[in-house]
Amino acid sequence: MAVPVVTDRLAARVLCVDPDHRVLLVHWRDPVDGSLLWEPPGGRVEPGEDPAATASRELAEETGIVGARLVPTPVPVRRDYLWCGKRYQTLELFFVAFVDDPDRVQAPELSARESEILMERRWWHWTDLLATPERVEPPEIRAVLRALAPEGPWLTATPEPVVADR
């Protein structure tokens, strides 16, 4: 049986960074095959919705963080991954947001489906994030961090290519 391919889904994601240069990721369990995935909060851009608004909305819904300083210029990333029995070959707009107090959050507003498949949220020190054997999406997350927040400590590591052209 062929795996359905989704190609027309625009999404927005947020690399949320705290003062210690930790990055917030959410840990999902695929309800179809049970695979696990760490990725920045985010989701589908609704028709007529501004991608920056999507990024802020998804950050609040999935993590409870509101009022983060979102940098309005995204970096486009082409992604190709399997999820929920489908293959996604899409463009996602990655934003960076800065939070002053990572422990000051509200309760997330998860949908029933998200509540079933969200395993946890974690602040990752950026070096741990790059060294983990766990699945992190997008694989070129270091290049995305460099493009969005070039003043961060990840600038000293060896570069990874793969940020998509606009």
Side-chain angles (χ1 to χ4, degrees):
M1 176 191 283
V3 175
V5 178
V6 176
T7 58
D8 60 350
R9 180 181 184 262
L10 179 62
R13 298 206 170 276
V14 181
L15 285 165
C16 194
V17 179
D18 77 358
D20 293 326
H21 303 292
R22 295 183 305 164
V23 178
L24 182 63
L25 298 181
V26 288
H27 197 201
W28 302 101
R29 180 186 47 77
D30 188 315
V32 172
D33 66 14
S35 64
L36 299 174
L37 157 72
W38 287 98
E39 69 180 349
R44 184 169 90 84
V45 176
E46 300 296 337
E49 187 176 32
D50 176 72
T54 300
S56 293
R57 175 180 55 77
E58 289 286 346
L59 181 63
E61 287 176 1
E62 294 179 2
T63 70
I65 293 176
V66 293
R69 294 183 318 275
L70 184 79
V71 176
T73 306
V75 168
V77 176
R78 295 231 176 258
R79 289 186 65 194
D80 186 348
Y81 62 98
L82 295 174
W83 188 252
C84 292
K86 296 177 184 172
R87 182 174 183 183
Y88 287 83
Q89 295 177 319
T90 60
L91 179 69
E92 295 192 354
L93 301 177
F94 279 72
F95 293 84
V96 67
F98 298 96
V99 296
D100 295 325
D101 185 356
D103 297 321
R104 194 172 153 197
V105 298
Q106 300 176 8
E109 302 171 14
L110 299 174
S111 69
R113 180 173 178 262
E114 288 172 328
S115 293
E116 292 175 4
I117 64 174
L118 178 69
M119 306 297 291
E120 64 180 305
R121 293 165 210 77
R122 182 189 311 166
W123 287 98
W124 289 76
H125 188 273
W126 75 274
T127 55
D128 295 336
L129 178 60
L130 300 179
T132 184
E134 296 183 70
R135 179 179 168 201
V136 175
E137 289 284 340
E140 64 275 7
I141 197 165
R142 180 175 31 189
V144 178
L145 276 167
R146 281 189 176 139
L148 289 169
E151 69 284 354
W154 33 80
L155 200 57
T156 59
T158 306
E160 287 181 42
V162 208
V163 174
D165 294 326
R166 286 188 189 251

